[in-house]
């Protein structure tokens, strides 16, 4: 759980080096879809994962573009749709690292 990319035929996760050691891109990407499709249980599971496991404080090279569109964009969309404060808090974390 927490893989950034999925291999659906193999039913396995895959970790790309675009995100360094940051995990959960697919979970964050899916938040808005889960909310819009009224998949409440799955949305809650994803929200709980974000709250407990999403950590941007990694010592690795990452693609700023990919982190912004997949993580920050996904978190802001989830915040806009749901109003859940955890998504706003997590969305600003990448900009706070190193301060």
């Amino acid at each position: 759980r927490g893989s950034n990319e999925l291999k659906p035929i193999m039913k396995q996760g895959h970790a790309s080096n675009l995100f360094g050691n940051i995990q959960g891109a697919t979970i964050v990407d899916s938040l808005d879809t889960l909310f819009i499709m009224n998949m409440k249980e799955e949305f809650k599971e994803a929200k709980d994962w974000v709250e407990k496991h999403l950590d941007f404080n990694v010592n690795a090279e990452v693609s700023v573009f990919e982190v912004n569109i997949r993580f920050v964009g996904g978190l802001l969309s989830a915040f806009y749709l749901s109003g859940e404060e955890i998504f706003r808090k997590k969305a600003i974390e990448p900009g706070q690292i190193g301060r």
Side-chain angles (χ1 to χ4, degrees):
R1 212 169 163 168
S3 295
N4 289 324
E5 299 169 358
L6 300 176
K7 294 182 175 183
I9 294 173
M10 298 177 70
K11 298 182 182 177
Q12 293 179 348
H14 171 71
S16 154
N17 63 355
L18 290 173
F19 306 104
N21 299 327
I22 303 170
Q23 294 291 300
T26 299
I27 293 171
V28 174
D29 257 352
S30 70
L31 287 165
D32 56 352
T33 302
L34 295 172
F35 188 87
I36 290 167
M37 293 182 69
N38 204 29
M39 299 176 75
K40 293 178 182 179
E41 185 175 323
E42 293 85 351
F43 182 81
K44 183 182 178 333
E45 283 181 45
K47 176 188 160 206
D48 290 345
W49 189 93
V50 166
E51 195 165 16
K52 294 174 186 165
H53 303 288
L54 183 58
D55 183 11
F56 293 108
N57 194 14
V58 296
N59 185 15
E61 187 173 315
V62 299
S63 167
V64 174
F65 174 78
E66 291 291 336
V67 169
N68 278 322
I69 64 167
R70 304 245 350 240
F71 287 101
V72 177
L75 291 164
L76 289 176
S77 295
F79 173 66
Y80 176 78
L81 291 168
S82 71
E84 297 278 351
E85 184 65 18
I86 186 63
F87 299 128
R88 186 194 66 79
K89 284 177 63 178
K90 286 290 186 178
I92 63 172
E93 281 183 14
Q96 301 294 318
I97 293 174
R99 287 185 147 192

